[in-house]
Amino acid sequence: INTIAGRVNFATAMASLSVSNKFVTPNSIINATVVTNDASMYAAIVSAGNNAFIVTAKPAAPAGETVVNFTIF
């Protein structure tokens, strides 16, 4: 997804998700917001790298498909 803002979907029981994005550097600030009401996953931790970032489900993998919006700064 080569945009500075977008949305990704976590499948049921998926603990983390890698997103390729040419706008991401290790110094990028990435805001991630869980927008699906899921009792198992209500937060997302983001780690930025070179041309990609990883979104990790917290406190646990989602019970159902869960949408996470992101913005890269």
Side-chain angles (χ1 to χ4, degrees):
I1 302 175
N2 290 316
T3 63
I4 60 167
R7 150 181 302 201
V8 293
N9 293 322
F10 273 77
T12 301
M14 181 181 269
S16 65
L17 181 65
S18 180
V19 180
S20 296
N21 190 306
K22 69 180 181 182
F23 296 107
V24 177
T25 70
N27 295 321
S28 294
I29 297 169
I30 303 170
N31 287 341
T33 305
V34 179
V35 295
T36 303
N37 187 9
D38 185 287
S40 299
M41 178 187 176
Y42 52 81
I45 305 294
V46 180
S47 301
N50 287 316
N51 298 317
F53 60 95
I54 297 172
V55 183
T56 304
K58 292 296 179 185
E65 186 173 323
T66 301
V67 176
V68 176
N69 291 344
F70 67 87
T71 306
I72 302 165
F73 296 95

Short mmCIF file of all heavy atoms in Angstrom, two decimals:
data_model
loop_
_atom_site.label_atom_id
_atom_site.label_comp_id
_atom_site.label_asym_id
_atom_site.label_seq_id
_atom_site.Cartn_x
_atom_site.Cartn_y
_atom_site.Cartn_z
N ILE A 1 0.87 -1.17 0.00
CA ILE A 1 0.00 0.00 0.00
C ILE A 1 0.91 1.23 0.00
O ILE A 1 1.50 1.55 1.02
CB ILE A 1 -0.90 0.02 1.25
CG1 ILE A 1 -1.75 -1.24 1.32
CG2 ILE A 1 -1.75 1.27 1.25
CD1 ILE A 1 -2.56 -1.35 2.59
N ASN A 2 1.06 1.88 -1.10
CA ASN A 2 1.97 3.02 -1.21
C ASN A 2 1.21 4.33 -1.10
O ASN A 2 1.17 5.13 -2.05
CB ASN A 2 2.78 2.93 -2.50
CG ASN A 2 3.78 1.80 -2.44
OD1 ASN A 2 4.44 1.61 -1.43
ND2 ASN A 2 3.87 1.04 -3.49
N THR A 3 0.61 4.55 0.06
CA THR A 3 -0.07 5.80 0.38
C THR A 3 0.33 6.20 1.79
O THR A 3 0.78 5.37 2.57
CB THR A 3 -1.60 5.65 0.32
OG1 THR A 3 -2.01 4.70 1.31
CG2 THR A 3 -2.07 5.19 -1.06
N ILE A 4 0.18 7.48 2.13
CA ILE A 4 0.54 7.91 3.48
C ILE A 4 -0.58 7.66 4.49
O ILE A 4 -0.36 7.78 5.69
CB ILE A 4 0.96 9.39 3.52
CG1 ILE A 4 -0.16 10.30 3.03
CG2 ILE A 4 2.23 9.61 2.71
CD1 ILE A 4 0.08 11.75 3.33
N ALA A 5 -1.74 7.28 4.02
CA ALA A 5 -2.84 6.91 4.91
C ALA A 5 -3.61 5.78 4.25
O ALA A 5 -3.73 5.71 3.03
CB ALA A 5 -3.76 8.10 5.15
N GLY A 6 -4.12 4.88 5.07
CA GLY A 6 -4.86 3.76 4.51
C GLY A 6 -5.44 2.88 5.58
O GLY A 6 -5.54 3.25 6.75
N ARG A 7 -5.80 1.68 5.14
CA ARG A 7 -6.49 0.75 6.03
C ARG A 7 -6.02 -0.66 5.69
O ARG A 7 -5.82 -1.00 4.53
CB ARG A 7 -7.98 0.94 5.79
CG ARG A 7 -8.88 -0.17 5.97
CD ARG A 7 -10.30 0.23 5.66
NE ARG A 7 -10.67 1.33 6.53
CZ ARG A 7 -11.91 1.67 6.82
NH1 ARG A 7 -12.91 1.03 6.30
NH2 ARG A 7 -12.16 2.67 7.62
N VAL A 8 -5.81 -1.46 6.73
CA VAL A 8 -5.45 -2.87 6.56
C VAL A 8 -6.42 -3.73 7.37
O VAL A 8 -7.02 -3.25 8.33
CB VAL A 8 -3.99 -3.15 7.00
CG1 VAL A 8 -3.00 -2.47 6.07
CG2 VAL A 8 -3.74 -2.72 8.43
N ASN A 9 -6.56 -4.98 6.97
CA ASN A 9 -7.47 -5.90 7.65
C ASN A 9 -6.69 -7.03 8.30
O ASN A 9 -5.89 -7.69 7.65
CB ASN A 9 -8.47 -6.51 6.66
CG ASN A 9 -9.42 -5.50 6.11
OD1 ASN A 9 -9.86 -4.60 6.81
ND2 ASN A 9 -9.76 -5.63 4.85
N PHE A 10 -6.97 -7.26 9.58
CA PHE A 10 -6.45 -8.42 10.29
C PHE A 10 -7.47 -9.54 10.14
O PHE A 10 -8.66 -9.33 10.41
CB PHE A 10 -6.30 -8.13 11.79
CG PHE A 10 -4.98 -7.52 12.17
CD1 PHE A 10 -4.73 -6.19 11.93
CD2 PHE A 10 -4.00 -8.28 12.79
CE1 PHE A 10 -3.54 -5.60 12.29
CE2 PHE A 10 -2.79 -7.71 13.14
CZ PHE A 10 -2.56 -6.37 12.89
N ALA A 11 -7.03 -10.71 9.72
CA ALA A 11 -7.91 -11.87 9.68
C ALA A 11 -8.07 -12.42 11.10
O ALA A 11 -7.28 -12.11 11.99
CB ALA A 11 -7.33 -12.94 8.76
N THR A 12 -9.07 -13.22 11.30
CA THR A 12 -9.30 -13.86 12.60
C THR A 12 -8.02 -14.58 13.05
O THR A 12 -7.40 -15.30 12.27
CB THR A 12 -10.45 -14.86 12.50
OG1 THR A 12 -11.62 -14.16 12.07
CG2 THR A 12 -10.73 -15.54 13.83
N ALA A 13 -7.63 -14.35 14.29
CA ALA A 13 -6.48 -14.99 14.94
C ALA A 13 -5.12 -14.55 14.39
O ALA A 13 -4.10 -15.13 14.73
CB ALA A 13 -6.60 -16.51 14.91
N MET A 14 -5.06 -13.52 13.57
CA MET A 14 -3.78 -13.03 13.03
C MET A 14 -3.14 -12.11 14.06
O MET A 14 -3.70 -11.09 14.42
CB MET A 14 -4.02 -12.28 11.72
CG MET A 14 -2.78 -11.75 11.06
SD MET A 14 -3.16 -10.86 9.53
CE MET A 14 -3.05 -12.20 8.39
N ALA A 15 -1.95 -12.46 14.53
CA ALA A 15 -1.30 -11.71 15.60
C ALA A 15 -0.56 -10.46 15.10
O ALA A 15 -0.44 -9.48 15.83
CB ALA A 15 -0.34 -12.60 16.36
N SER A 16 -0.04 -10.51 13.87
CA SER A 16 0.66 -9.34 13.31
C SER A 16 0.49 -9.32 11.80
O SER A 16 0.11 -10.32 11.18
CB SER A 16 2.14 -9.36 13.69
OG SER A 16 2.79 -10.45 13.10
N LEU A 17 0.81 -8.15 11.24
CA LEU A 17 0.61 -7.94 9.81
C LEU A 17 1.73 -7.04 9.30
O LEU A 17 1.99 -5.98 9.87
CB LEU A 17 -0.74 -7.26 9.60
CG LEU A 17 -1.20 -6.94 8.21
CD1 LEU A 17 -1.42 -8.22 7.40
CD2 LEU A 17 -2.50 -6.16 8.27
N SER A 18 2.42 -7.47 8.25
CA SER A 18 3.46 -6.67 7.63
C SER A 18 2.88 -5.91 6.44
O SER A 18 2.19 -6.50 5.61
CB SER A 18 4.61 -7.56 7.17
OG SER A 18 5.63 -6.79 6.58
N VAL A 19 3.15 -4.60 6.38
CA VAL A 19 2.61 -3.75 5.33
C VAL A 19 3.78 -3.11 4.57
O VAL A 19 4.57 -2.38 5.15
CB VAL A 19 1.71 -2.64 5.92
CG1 VAL A 19 1.14 -1.75 4.82
CG2 VAL A 19 0.60 -3.24 6.77
N SER A 20 3.88 -3.41 3.28
CA SER A 20 4.91 -2.77 2.43
C SER A 20 4.43 -1.38 2.04
O SER A 20 3.29 -1.21 1.63
CB SER A 20 5.15 -3.61 1.18
OG SER A 20 5.67 -4.85 1.51
N ASN A 21 5.32 -0.39 2.18
CA ASN A 21 4.95 0.99 1.87
C ASN A 21 6.21 1.79 1.59
O ASN A 21 7.07 1.93 2.46
CB ASN A 21 4.16 1.60 3.02
CG ASN A 21 3.55 2.92 2.66
OD1 ASN A 21 4.24 3.82 2.21
ND2 ASN A 21 2.25 3.05 2.88
N LYS A 22 6.33 2.34 0.38
CA LYS A 22 7.54 3.06 -0.01
C LYS A 22 7.76 4.36 0.75
O LYS A 22 8.85 4.92 0.71
CB LYS A 22 7.52 3.34 -1.52
CG LYS A 22 6.47 4.34 -1.96
CD LYS A 22 6.52 4.57 -3.46
CE LYS A 22 5.49 5.59 -3.91
NZ LYS A 22 5.51 5.78 -5.36
N PHE A 23 6.77 4.85 1.47
CA PHE A 23 6.90 6.10 2.22
C PHE A 23 7.45 5.90 3.63
O PHE A 23 7.68 6.86 4.35
CB PHE A 23 5.55 6.82 2.30
CG PHE A 23 5.02 7.25 0.96
CD1 PHE A 23 3.96 6.60 0.37
CD2 PHE A 23 5.61 8.30 0.28
CE1 PHE A 23 3.49 6.98 -0.87
CE2 PHE A 23 5.15 8.70 -0.97
CZ PHE A 23 4.08 8.03 -1.55
N VAL A 24 7.67 4.66 4.04
CA VAL A 24 8.09 4.37 5.42
C VAL A 24 9.61 4.26 5.51
O VAL A 24 10.26 3.63 4.68
CB VAL A 24 7.45 3.06 5.91
CG1 VAL A 24 7.93 2.70 7.31
CG2 VAL A 24 5.93 3.16 5.90
N THR A 25 10.15 4.91 6.54
CA THR A 25 11.56 4.78 6.90
C THR A 25 11.61 4.35 8.36
O THR A 25 10.60 4.42 9.07
CB THR A 25 12.32 6.12 6.75
OG1 THR A 25 11.88 7.02 7.77
CG2 THR A 25 12.13 6.73 5.37
N PRO A 26 12.77 3.93 8.86
CA PRO A 26 12.87 3.57 10.28
C PRO A 26 12.52 4.73 11.22
O PRO A 26 12.16 4.51 12.38
CB PRO A 26 14.32 3.15 10.45
CG PRO A 26 14.72 2.67 9.09
CD PRO A 26 13.99 3.58 8.14
N ASN A 27 12.60 5.98 10.73
CA ASN A 27 12.29 7.14 11.55
C ASN A 27 10.85 7.64 11.39
O ASN A 27 10.48 8.67 11.97
CB ASN A 27 13.24 8.29 11.23
CG ASN A 27 14.66 7.95 11.61
OD1 ASN A 27 14.91 7.32 12.63
ND2 ASN A 27 15.61 8.33 10.78
N SER A 28 10.04 6.94 10.61
CA SER A 28 8.65 7.36 10.40
C SER A 28 7.85 7.26 11.70
O SER A 28 8.07 6.37 12.52
CB SER A 28 7.97 6.47 9.35
OG SER A 28 8.54 6.64 8.09
N ILE A 29 6.92 8.17 11.83
CA ILE A 29 5.93 8.11 12.91
C ILE A 29 4.65 7.60 12.26
O ILE A 29 4.16 8.19 11.30
CB ILE A 29 5.70 9.48 13.55
CG1 ILE A 29 7.01 9.97 14.19
CG2 ILE A 29 4.57 9.44 14.56
CD1 ILE A 29 6.98 11.41 14.63
N ILE A 30 4.13 6.51 12.78
CA ILE A 30 2.94 5.89 12.20
C ILE A 30 1.87 5.76 13.28
O ILE A 30 2.10 5.11 14.30
CB ILE A 30 3.27 4.51 11.60
CG1 ILE A 30 4.38 4.65 10.57
CG2 ILE A 30 2.01 3.88 11.00
CD1 ILE A 30 4.95 3.33 10.09
N ASN A 31 0.73 6.39 13.03
CA ASN A 31 -0.42 6.24 13.92
C ASN A 31 -1.30 5.13 13.39
O ASN A 31 -1.62 5.11 12.21
CB ASN A 31 -1.24 7.54 13.98
CG ASN A 31 -0.55 8.62 14.76
OD1 ASN A 31 0.34 8.35 15.55
ND2 ASN A 31 -0.95 9.85 14.54
N ALA A 32 -1.69 4.22 14.27
CA ALA A 32 -2.59 3.13 13.89
C ALA A 32 -3.77 3.12 14.84
O ALA A 32 -3.60 3.23 16.06
CB ALA A 32 -1.86 1.79 13.95
N THR A 33 -4.97 3.02 14.28
CA THR A 33 -6.19 3.05 15.07
C THR A 33 -7.05 1.84 14.71
O THR A 33 -7.38 1.63 13.54
CB THR A 33 -7.00 4.33 14.78
OG1 THR A 33 -6.17 5.46 15.00
CG2 THR A 33 -8.23 4.42 15.65
N VAL A 34 -7.41 1.05 15.72
CA VAL A 34 -8.31 -0.08 15.52
C VAL A 34 -9.72 0.49 15.39
O VAL A 34 -10.19 1.21 16.27
CB VAL A 34 -8.24 -1.06 16.70
CG1 VAL A 34 -9.21 -2.22 16.49
CG2 VAL A 34 -6.82 -1.58 16.88
N VAL A 35 -10.39 0.19 14.27
CA VAL A 35 -11.71 0.78 14.02
C VAL A 35 -12.84 -0.25 14.06
O VAL A 35 -14.00 0.12 13.87
CB VAL A 35 -11.74 1.58 12.70
CG1 VAL A 35 -10.82 2.77 12.78
CG2 VAL A 35 -11.38 0.71 11.52
N THR A 36 -12.52 -1.49 14.30
CA THR A 36 -13.54 -2.53 14.44
C THR A 36 -13.70 -2.84 15.92
O THR A 36 -12.71 -2.92 16.65
CB THR A 36 -13.11 -3.81 13.69
OG1 THR A 36 -12.88 -3.49 12.33
CG2 THR A 36 -14.18 -4.89 13.78
N ASN A 37 -14.92 -3.03 16.37
CA ASN A 37 -15.18 -3.37 17.76
C ASN A 37 -14.88 -4.85 17.96
O ASN A 37 -15.69 -5.71 17.62
CB ASN A 37 -16.63 -3.05 18.11
CG ASN A 37 -16.92 -3.23 19.58
OD1 ASN A 37 -16.02 -3.45 20.37
ND2 ASN A 37 -18.18 -3.15 19.94
N ASP A 38 -13.71 -5.15 18.50
CA ASP A 38 -13.29 -6.52 18.76
C ASP A 38 -12.77 -6.60 20.18
O ASP A 38 -11.84 -5.89 20.54
CB ASP A 38 -12.20 -6.94 17.76
CG ASP A 38 -11.81 -8.40 17.89
OD1 ASP A 38 -11.14 -8.75 18.88
OD2 ASP A 38 -12.20 -9.18 17.02
N ALA A 39 -13.35 -7.46 21.00
CA ALA A 39 -12.98 -7.55 22.42
C ALA A 39 -11.56 -8.06 22.62
O ALA A 39 -10.92 -7.75 23.62
CB ALA A 39 -13.96 -8.45 23.15
N SER A 40 -11.03 -8.83 21.67
CA SER A 40 -9.69 -9.40 21.82
C SER A 40 -8.59 -8.43 21.41
O SER A 40 -7.51 -8.42 21.98
CB SER A 40 -9.55 -10.66 20.97
OG SER A 40 -10.47 -11.63 21.38
N MET A 41 -8.86 -7.62 20.37
CA MET A 41 -7.85 -6.67 19.87
C MET A 41 -8.43 -5.26 19.92
O MET A 41 -9.32 -4.93 19.15
CB MET A 41 -7.48 -7.01 18.42
CG MET A 41 -6.49 -6.04 17.81
SD MET A 41 -6.25 -6.39 16.05
CE MET A 41 -5.17 -5.06 15.60
N TYR A 42 -7.92 -4.45 20.83
CA TYR A 42 -8.41 -3.08 20.92
C TYR A 42 -7.29 -2.06 20.80
O TYR A 42 -7.50 -0.86 20.95
CB TYR A 42 -9.23 -2.84 22.19
CG TYR A 42 -8.55 -3.26 23.46
CD1 TYR A 42 -7.61 -2.45 24.09
CD2 TYR A 42 -8.87 -4.47 24.06
CE1 TYR A 42 -7.01 -2.83 25.26
CE2 TYR A 42 -8.27 -4.85 25.26
CZ TYR A 42 -7.35 -4.04 25.84
OH TYR A 42 -6.73 -4.42 27.00
N ALA A 43 -6.07 -2.54 20.49
CA ALA A 43 -4.94 -1.64 20.29
C ALA A 43 -4.00 -2.25 19.27
O ALA A 43 -4.05 -3.46 19.01
CB ALA A 43 -4.19 -1.41 21.61
N ALA A 44 -3.14 -1.40 18.68
CA ALA A 44 -2.16 -1.86 17.70
C ALA A 44 -0.82 -1.20 17.98
O ALA A 44 -0.76 0.00 18.20
CB ALA A 44 -2.64 -1.53 16.28
N ILE A 45 0.23 -1.99 17.97
CA ILE A 45 1.59 -1.50 18.14
C ILE A 45 2.24 -1.52 16.75
O ILE A 45 2.11 -2.49 16.01
CB ILE A 45 2.40 -2.43 19.09
CG1 ILE A 45 1.70 -2.59 20.42
CG2 ILE A 45 3.82 -1.91 19.25
CD1 ILE A 45 1.61 -1.34 21.24
N VAL A 46 2.95 -0.44 16.39
CA VAL A 46 3.54 -0.33 15.05
C VAL A 46 5.05 -0.21 15.15
O VAL A 46 5.57 0.58 15.94
CB VAL A 46 2.97 0.89 14.30
CG1 VAL A 46 3.58 0.98 12.91
CG2 VAL A 46 1.46 0.81 14.21
N SER A 47 5.75 -0.98 14.33
CA SER A 47 7.21 -0.91 14.21
C SER A 47 7.55 -0.56 12.77
O SER A 47 7.17 -1.28 11.85
CB SER A 47 7.85 -2.25 14.57
OG SER A 47 7.52 -2.63 15.88
N ALA A 48 8.28 0.54 12.59
CA ALA A 48 8.65 1.00 11.24
C ALA A 48 10.01 0.46 10.84
O ALA A 48 10.91 0.32 11.67
CB ALA A 48 8.67 2.53 11.20
N GLY A 49 10.16 0.17 9.55
CA GLY A 49 11.43 -0.27 8.99
C GLY A 49 11.67 0.43 7.66
O GLY A 49 11.13 1.51 7.42
N ASN A 50 12.47 -0.17 6.80
CA ASN A 50 12.71 0.38 5.47
C ASN A 50 11.63 -0.10 4.51
O ASN A 50 11.53 -1.30 4.24
CB ASN A 50 14.09 -0.06 4.95
CG ASN A 50 15.20 0.67 5.65
OD1 ASN A 50 15.13 1.87 5.86
ND2 ASN A 50 16.24 -0.06 6.03
N ASN A 51 10.81 0.81 4.04
CA ASN A 51 9.75 0.52 3.08
C ASN A 51 8.69 -0.45 3.59
O ASN A 51 8.00 -1.09 2.79
CB ASN A 51 10.33 0.00 1.77
CG ASN A 51 11.23 1.01 1.11
OD1 ASN A 51 10.90 2.19 1.05
ND2 ASN A 51 12.37 0.57 0.64
N ALA A 52 8.54 -0.57 4.89
CA ALA A 52 7.51 -1.45 5.46
C ALA A 52 7.32 -1.13 6.93
O ALA A 52 8.18 -0.52 7.58
CB ALA A 52 7.90 -2.91 5.30
N PHE A 53 6.18 -1.55 7.45
CA PHE A 53 5.94 -1.48 8.88
C PHE A 53 5.15 -2.71 9.31
O PHE A 53 4.48 -3.35 8.50
CB PHE A 53 5.25 -0.18 9.31
CG PHE A 53 3.89 0.06 8.70
CD1 PHE A 53 2.73 -0.30 9.37
CD2 PHE A 53 3.76 0.70 7.48
CE1 PHE A 53 1.49 -0.05 8.83
CE2 PHE A 53 2.53 0.97 6.92
CZ PHE A 53 1.37 0.58 7.60
N ILE A 54 5.29 -3.05 10.59
CA ILE A 54 4.59 -4.20 11.15
C ILE A 54 3.58 -3.69 12.17
O ILE A 54 3.92 -2.89 13.04
CB ILE A 54 5.56 -5.19 11.80
CG1 ILE A 54 6.53 -5.74 10.75
CG2 ILE A 54 4.82 -6.33 12.50
CD1 ILE A 54 7.65 -6.58 11.31
N VAL A 55 2.35 -4.16 12.04
CA VAL A 55 1.29 -3.84 13.00
C VAL A 55 1.05 -5.10 13.83
O VAL A 55 0.81 -6.18 13.27
CB VAL A 55 -0.01 -3.42 12.29
CG1 VAL A 55 -1.07 -3.01 13.31
CG2 VAL A 55 0.24 -2.30 11.30
N THR A 56 1.14 -4.97 15.15
CA THR A 56 0.93 -6.10 16.05
C THR A 56 -0.34 -5.89 16.85
O THR A 56 -0.54 -4.81 17.43
CB THR A 56 2.14 -6.26 17.00
OG1 THR A 56 3.32 -6.40 16.21
CG2 THR A 56 1.98 -7.47 17.90
N ALA A 57 -1.18 -6.91 16.90
CA ALA A 57 -2.45 -6.87 17.64
C ALA A 57 -2.18 -6.91 19.14
O ALA A 57 -1.37 -7.72 19.61
CB ALA A 57 -3.32 -8.05 17.23
N LYS A 58 -2.87 -6.07 19.89
CA LYS A 58 -2.75 -6.05 21.36
C LYS A 58 -4.12 -5.95 21.98
O LYS A 58 -4.97 -5.24 21.47
CB LYS A 58 -1.87 -4.87 21.82
CG LYS A 58 -0.42 -5.01 21.44
CD LYS A 58 0.20 -6.18 22.12
CE LYS A 58 1.65 -6.37 21.73
NZ LYS A 58 2.22 -7.55 22.28
N PRO A 59 -4.39 -6.57 23.06
CA PRO A 59 -3.52 -7.48 23.80
C PRO A 59 -3.43 -8.88 23.20
O PRO A 59 -2.60 -9.68 23.61
CB PRO A 59 -4.14 -7.54 25.18
CG PRO A 59 -5.58 -7.31 24.96
CD PRO A 59 -5.66 -6.38 23.78
N ALA A 60 -4.28 -9.21 22.21
CA ALA A 60 -4.26 -10.54 21.61
C ALA A 60 -4.75 -10.45 20.17
O ALA A 60 -5.29 -9.43 19.74
CB ALA A 60 -5.15 -11.48 22.41
N ALA A 61 -4.58 -11.53 19.43
CA ALA A 61 -5.07 -11.59 18.05
C ALA A 61 -6.59 -11.43 18.05
O ALA A 61 -7.27 -11.84 19.01
CB ALA A 61 -4.68 -12.92 17.43
N PRO A 62 -7.15 -10.84 17.00
CA PRO A 62 -8.58 -10.57 16.99
C PRO A 62 -9.43 -11.84 16.90
O PRO A 62 -9.02 -12.84 16.32
CB PRO A 62 -8.77 -9.70 15.74
CG PRO A 62 -7.62 -10.03 14.86
CD PRO A 62 -6.49 -10.36 15.78
N ALA A 63 -10.64 -11.76 17.47
CA ALA A 63 -11.59 -12.87 17.42
C ALA A 63 -12.27 -12.95 16.06
O ALA A 63 -12.76 -14.00 15.65
CB ALA A 63 -12.62 -12.72 18.53
N GLY A 64 -12.33 -11.83 15.35
CA GLY A 64 -12.92 -11.77 14.02
C GLY A 64 -12.13 -10.82 13.15
O GLY A 64 -11.16 -10.21 13.62
N GLU A 65 -12.50 -10.67 11.89
CA GLU A 65 -11.79 -9.74 11.01
C GLU A 65 -11.83 -8.34 11.61
O GLU A 65 -12.87 -7.87 12.03
CB GLU A 65 -12.40 -9.71 9.61
CG GLU A 65 -11.61 -8.87 8.65
CD GLU A 65 -12.10 -8.96 7.23
OE1 GLU A 65 -12.51 -10.05 6.81
OE2 GLU A 65 -12.07 -7.93 6.55
N THR A 66 -10.67 -7.70 11.68
CA THR A 66 -10.54 -6.41 12.35
C THR A 66 -9.80 -5.43 11.44
O THR A 66 -8.76 -5.75 10.88
CB THR A 66 -9.77 -6.57 13.68
OG1 THR A 66 -10.51 -7.50 14.50
CG2 THR A 66 -9.66 -5.27 14.43
N VAL A 67 -10.34 -4.22 11.33
CA VAL A 67 -9.77 -3.17 10.47
C VAL A 67 -8.92 -2.21 11.30
O VAL A 67 -9.31 -1.80 12.40
CB VAL A 67 -10.90 -2.39 9.75
CG1 VAL A 67 -10.33 -1.25 8.93
CG2 VAL A 67 -11.73 -3.34 8.89
N VAL A 68 -7.75 -1.86 10.75
CA VAL A 68 -6.86 -0.89 11.38
C VAL A 68 -6.56 0.21 10.35
O VAL A 68 -6.10 -0.10 9.25
CB VAL A 68 -5.55 -1.55 11.86
CG1 VAL A 68 -4.59 -0.50 12.41
CG2 VAL A 68 -5.83 -2.62 12.89
N ASN A 69 -6.83 1.44 10.70
CA ASN A 69 -6.47 2.59 9.86
C ASN A 69 -5.06 3.05 10.25
O ASN A 69 -4.68 2.95 11.42
CB ASN A 69 -7.44 3.75 10.06
CG ASN A 69 -8.80 3.46 9.51
OD1 ASN A 69 -9.00 2.54 8.73
ND2 ASN A 69 -9.78 4.26 9.92
N PHE A 70 -4.30 3.59 9.28
CA PHE A 70 -2.97 4.10 9.59
C PHE A 70 -2.71 5.41 8.88
O PHE A 70 -3.28 5.70 7.83
CB PHE A 70 -1.89 3.07 9.22
CG PHE A 70 -1.74 2.85 7.73
CD1 PHE A 70 -0.91 3.66 6.97
CD2 PHE A 70 -2.41 1.82 7.10
CE1 PHE A 70 -0.77 3.46 5.60
CE2 PHE A 70 -2.29 1.61 5.73
CZ PHE A 70 -1.46 2.43 4.99
N THR A 71 -1.83 6.21 9.49
CA THR A 71 -1.33 7.45 8.90
C THR A 71 0.18 7.49 9.14
O THR A 71 0.63 7.25 10.26
CB THR A 71 -1.99 8.68 9.53
OG1 THR A 71 -3.41 8.54 9.44
CG2 THR A 71 -1.58 9.96 8.81
N ILE A 72 0.93 7.83 8.11
CA ILE A 72 2.38 7.93 8.20
C ILE A 72 2.79 9.39 8.20
O ILE A 72 2.36 10.16 7.35
CB ILE A 72 3.05 7.22 7.00
CG1 ILE A 72 2.63 5.75 6.96
CG2 ILE A 72 4.58 7.35 7.07
CD1 ILE A 72 2.95 5.07 5.65
N PHE A 73 3.63 9.77 9.15
CA PHE A 73 4.15 11.14 9.25
C PHE A 73 5.63 11.15 9.03
O PHE A 73 6.32 10.22 9.33
CB PHE A 73 3.85 11.74 10.62
CG PHE A 73 2.39 11.89 10.89
CD1 PHE A 73 1.69 10.91 11.58
CD2 PHE A 73 1.70 13.01 10.46
CE1 PHE A 73 0.35 11.04 11.85
CE2 PHE A 73 0.36 13.15 10.72
CZ PHE A 73 -0.33 12.16 11.42
#
